[in-house]
Amino acid sequence: SPRSIRARFFTLGGRQVAEVSTIAIGGLQVLEWDGRDHTGDRVPPGLYLCHVYVDTDSASKNEQVRVVSVVY
């Protein structure tokens, strides 16, 4: 059944700068972030935390945090 996938991007200081989401129906899913903040401006180059959430029916862990690099 369809599942919500959401990725939120934070500065290393903890400020959220962007969020992208999609509805997954099955198979491999790709979320793309263009390096822009919630106002449409490019974020400064550097490291950001990406927190990915996936809705599931199970009690198993459904989120991951990774570091992403932004370069121009």
Side-chain angles (χ1 to χ4, degrees):
S1 64
R3 301 288 179 201
S4 173
I5 301 173
R6 180 178 62 179
R8 297 180 353 178
F9 297 87
F10 297 86
T11 64
L12 295 180
R15 183 176 58 87
Q16 183 175 334
V17 294
E19 182 172 328
V20 294
S21 62
T22 190
I23 301 296
I25 297 176
L28 177 66
Q29 300 298 313
V30 176
L31 282 178
E32 292 184 16
W33 176 44
D34 62 3
R36 297 185 184 275
D37 65 15
H38 62 279
T39 65
D41 295 328
R42 284 183 173 178
V43 299
L47 299 176
Y48 292 83
L49 297 176
C50 175
H51 197 163
V52 178
Y53 303 86
V54 179
D55 288 339
T56 65
D57 290 334
S58 70
S60 63
K61 187 174 182 180
N62 60 355
E63 57 189 79
Q64 294 280 321
V65 177
R66 297 287 186 258
V67 176
V68 295
S69 299
V70 173
V71 295
Y72 298 110

